Amino acid sequence: MEVLECISGKRSVRAYTDEVISKETITKLIELGTKASTGSGLEPWGFVVIQDKEEIDSLSEATKQYLLNNMEKYPYLSQYESWLKNPKYNIFNNAGTVLVIYGNKESHWHVYDCSLAAGNIMLAAHSMGIGTCWIGFAEALLNTKEFKEKHGVPEKYELVSTMSMGYMKTKMTPPERKKPLIFSK
Ligand SMILES: Cc1cc2nc3c(=O)[nH]c(=O)nc-3n(C[C@H](O)[C@H](O)[C@H](O)COP(=O)(O)O)c2cc1C
């Protein structure tokens, strides 16, 4: 896929086929993620890949319960209360793969670098017919000491991006955006 077409057509995808994304493909996407620019050349990223459907589904349930019980800490999520209360709602959109990107806090630039890596991965995935969706809800539990310990993430790394991933079920229309606000004359 041509790069401008890829950027113009990429959407957040929330419906996936049952086809499993192979380990090779995930590794390739992560490697493409690490081609992103990186402040001071520090490459402060680290990745966790979850493909255990039971774990993904139970993380979704636990996150929903946690957020609903602690909504006062997350005022920016209050608009999604009805989604979180819906028993059928899965925060990872029933994806078979969840990719989490952690940044090493020792680099001042870790949030920028890991966000750029996430963008690369999303675009590269789109070009392969793999849909992705950044899942902000997941921050609540996937950045905890318990979760990080379970997945071998050192304490000095913090969560920057979580994305659900899977082969796209349907073709989507390109995104629509407001006219960009350009301050300079
Ligand atoms: C930082 C961030 C957090 C997001 N969190 C969620 C989320 O928790 N759940 C979800 O379904 N979509 C989430 N999204 C996707 C946005 O809803 C989506 O990008 C926006 O509606 C525009 O749609 P588009 O990406 O298809 O153009 C998130 C996107 C970003 C960049």
Side-chain angles (χ1 to χ4, degrees):
M1 184 185 279
E2 200 263 323
V3 71
L4 297 184
E5 183 195 344
C6 184
I7 293 170
S8 312
K10 186 240 158 228
R11 297 292 308 275
S12 293
V13 175
R14 300 181 179 85
Y16 312 108
T17 70
D18 291 335
E19 186 177 346
V20 175
I21 307 176
S22 71
K23 293 265 182 284
E24 294 70 35
T25 301
I26 300 275
T27 305
K28 180 76 194 154
L29 287 171
I30 290 174
E31 282 169 2
L32 289 165
T34 65
K35 304 292 183 189
S37 296
T38 167
S40 306
L42 289 172
E43 306 187 42
W45 32 61
F47 302 86
V48 168
V49 180
I50 311 172
Q51 292 193 297
D52 174 349
K53 197 79 179 62
E54 263 182 41
E55 182 178 8
I56 294 174
D57 293 348
S58 84
L59 279 169
S60 169
E61 271 318 300
T63 304
K64 285 165 66 182
Q65 287 318 312
Y66 174 81
L67 288 175
L68 286 170
N69 293 335
N70 294 278
M71 201 42 98
E72 71 287 351
K73 291 188 200 159
Y74 303 93
Y76 52 92
L77 294 182
S78 59
Q79 60 180 312
Y80 301 109
E81 208 164 330
S82 62
W83 295 21
L84 298 167
K85 281 185 174 154
N86 179 353
K88 290 198 182 127
Y89 177 62
N90 178 302
I91 70 157
F92 301 111
N93 310 304
N94 301 302
T97 300
V98 171
L99 174 67
V100 199
I101 309 180
Y102 292 90
N104 185 339
K105 291 181 277 182
E106 286 171 356
S107 163
H108 172 77
W109 316 109
H110 68 281
V111 176
Y112 312 124
D113 293 2
C114 292
S115 300
L116 287 173
N120 268 13
I121 291 171
M122 289 175 158
L123 288 169
H126 178 69
S127 78
M128 297 176 186
I130 295 171
T132 59
C133 185
W134 186 309
I135 306 297
F137 289 141
E139 272 182 3
L141 291 194
L142 275 54
N143 201 28
T144 57
K145 197 168 185 287
E146 300 73 52
F147 182 85
K148 290 201 296 184
E149 263 172 22
K150 179 175 176 198
H151 290 278
V153 181
E155 200 169 346
K156 64 186 176 188
Y157 283 73
E158 71 175 359
L159 185 147
V160 176
S161 171
T162 309
M163 65 183 90
S164 54
M165 309 177 79
Y167 284 93
M168 288 180 231
K169 210 167 196 170
T170 50
K171 197 170 156 36
M172 296 184 70
T173 54
E176 282 180 23
R177 293 289 189 261
K178 293 179 211 153
K179 206 169 175 316
L181 198 51
I182 299 176
F183 296 114
S184 54
K185 292 211 183 258

